[in-house]
Amino acid sequence: MSMGEIATSSLGSQSSVDMNTPEELRDYLDVGTPVTPRDPTPRPTPPPTKPRSQLARPIRFLSLPKAATAQVSPSHLLTLMGIRREMTLQEKKIEGLTSLRALAQNHMDMLMPKLHDICLAIINEVKNLRSAVSSAAMATLGDMYAYLQRAMDSEVEGTARVLLHKASESNTFIRQGANFALGHMVQSCTPTRVMKALLVGGLN
């Protein structure tokens, strides 16, 4: 067998394609896979995607209920304003009574020209429904008895009446304040004036 025949026979054993086979079939038999026809219509390229931001997302707070966001009624607003005004007035009254106690201790001569008017003002504050103001007023009377002493004789009857009334209340804090002031009155003022004031005040 010649070299040409060996080459022809080896080619025939490796492939079943001969020269008479059509070109499309020949390609199929040589490659072993069908030829995929190309799509003549070009596909649109997808738009570029934006890179994700590394910043944290803003926090969304829960919305408040309607009842919490409702407007305050005018009557409620007036009530709040009245309470605030009352508290401010109460603080100013206590500050004023504290100043009177300091004057009685250190500058009693400044109280003497208006002593009766000052005592009337203190008596009104003893009757105050606010226990803090009432207690401050009774402490002021006690200091005035202790430092002005017999200069308070003319005011004993009016002050003793309101103090005896406070001494009969059920509030222990108020009773202690009244007893404190009455004790200074008994020790500092003229005994006959004190006895008369206690008898009249007790009978009333």
Side-chain angles (χ1 to χ4, degrees):
M1 182 179 294
S2 64
M3 295 298 296
E5 291 177 352
I6 294 173
T8 305
S9 63
S10 62
L11 288 172
S13 61
Q14 292 178 0
S15 174
S16 60
V17 179
D18 56 8
M19 301 304 297
N20 296 325
T21 306
E23 185 177 358
E24 293 81 0
L25 185 58
R26 193 185 311 159
D27 293 337
Y28 176 78
L29 294 176
D30 285 340
V31 179
T33 56
V35 179
T36 305
R38 294 182 178 180
D39 191 356
T41 58
R43 296 181 179 178
T45 57
T49 58
K50 295 181 180 180
R52 293 185 178 180
S53 176
Q54 299 298 328
L55 298 176
R57 295 183 178 180
I59 301 174
R60 293 184 178 181
F61 296 97
L62 297 176
S63 59
L64 294 175
K66 293 182 179 180
T69 57
Q71 295 183 354
V72 181
S73 62
S75 59
H76 189 199
L77 183 60
L78 290 175
T79 303
L80 294 176
M81 292 176 62
I83 293 174
R84 181 176 299 179
R85 191 182 299 111
E86 181 70 21
M87 293 178 64
T88 304
L89 182 61
Q90 177 180 342
E91 293 175 358
K92 289 183 177 180
K93 286 182 176 181
I94 294 175
E95 291 178 359
L97 292 167
T98 304
S99 299
L100 285 176
R101 295 181 68 180
L103 289 175
Q105 295 176 18
N106 304 308
H107 303 283
M108 61 182 69
D109 55 328
M110 298 179 63
L111 301 178
M112 297 307 298
K114 296 288 184 180
L115 183 60
H116 180 68
D117 295 335
I118 292 172
C119 288
L120 290 179
I122 296 175
I123 288 172
N124 288 332
E125 298 306 327
V126 171
K127 299 176 182 179
N128 197 304
L129 298 179
R130 299 288 181 179
S131 59
V133 178
S134 180
S135 298
M138 289 185 289
T140 303
L141 282 179
D143 284 351
M144 292 179 69
Y145 288 136
Y147 292 100
L148 300 182
Q149 296 186 355
R150 298 199 176 187
M152 287 286 292
D153 283 351
S154 60
E155 308 298 331
V156 164
E157 186 174 348
T159 54
R161 185 183 301 110
V162 68
L163 290 174
L164 288 171
H165 177 73
K166 286 292 180 178
S168 63
E169 289 191 2
S170 59
N171 190 330
T172 305
F173 184 65
I174 296 296
R175 287 204 313 268
Q176 289 177 353
N179 291 331
F180 168 81
L182 288 171
H184 281 293
M185 181 185 70
V186 171
Q187 294 175 4
S188 304
C189 298
T190 303
T192 55
R193 290 286 188 96
V194 172
M195 184 65 67
K196 180 180 177 181
L198 292 177
L199 289 174
V200 175
L203 291 174
N204 291 335

